[in-house]
Amino acid sequence: HVQLVESGGGSVQAGGSLRLSCVRSGYIAGRYCMGWIHQAPGKEREAVAIIGGDGSTVYADSVKGRFTISQDNAKNTLYLEMNSLKPEDTAMYYCAADSPCTYGGNWSYWGQGTQVTVS
């Protein structure tokens, strides 16, 4: 049974920073990748950052140069470092696993989400 638990969200002023964490428990078979997906009120979910098992990364244009995705395999933890935050980054942020890895086409496992609010 795979569980993903996010933490680190909160309220911050524009220009500030936050670091989100996602701890995974349970085993995911095969080759998979991990990602952060956000959903703003009234909008569809959008993947903002994805990382493959080999460490390769993909970012949405809206966050390139500001957000950094990383993972610590020894701790089964995924991170999202968010800098230079903007009000338009306000959203619920979900951690998810894409299995098998298609860089965003097959999100199989989801966390419960953590709210980020930028004012």
Side-chain angles (χ1 to χ4, degrees):
H1 178 63
V2 176
Q3 275 194 310
L4 303 173
V5 180
E6 304 97 331
S7 62
S11 296
V12 64
Q13 290 189 337
S17 299
L18 285 173
R19 188 174 84 153
L20 307 183
S21 300
C22 170
V23 179
R24 174 179 60 81
S25 60
Y27 175 73
I28 301 176
R31 179 175 167 267
Y32 65 94
C33 45
M34 298 293 296
W36 290 96
I37 296 94
H38 74 183
Q39 185 171 25
K43 296 188 177 181
E44 293 187 354
R45 290 181 177 179
E46 176 192 20
V48 296
I50 303 170
I51 186 166
D54 60 357
S56 57
T57 57
V58 176
Y59 294 94
D61 288 343
S62 60
V63 306
K64 281 181 182 176
R66 300 189 299 121
F67 290 11
T68 303
I69 188 171
S70 62
Q71 59 188 354
D72 184 332
N73 291 325
K75 296 182 179 180
N76 291 333
T77 302
L78 180 73
Y79 302 100
L80 185 67
E81 189 74 37
M82 309 165 69
N83 298 315
S84 302
L85 282 161
K86 304 175 181 180
E88 51 264 43
D89 295 320
T90 295
M92 184 70 79
Y93 283 74
Y94 298 91
C95 166
D98 182 10
S99 176
C101 181
T102 59
Y103 285 91
N106 193 32
W107 299 114
S108 304
Y109 304 98
W110 291 83
Q112 82 288 351
T114 186
Q115 178 68 38
V116 171
T117 302
V118 185
S119 60

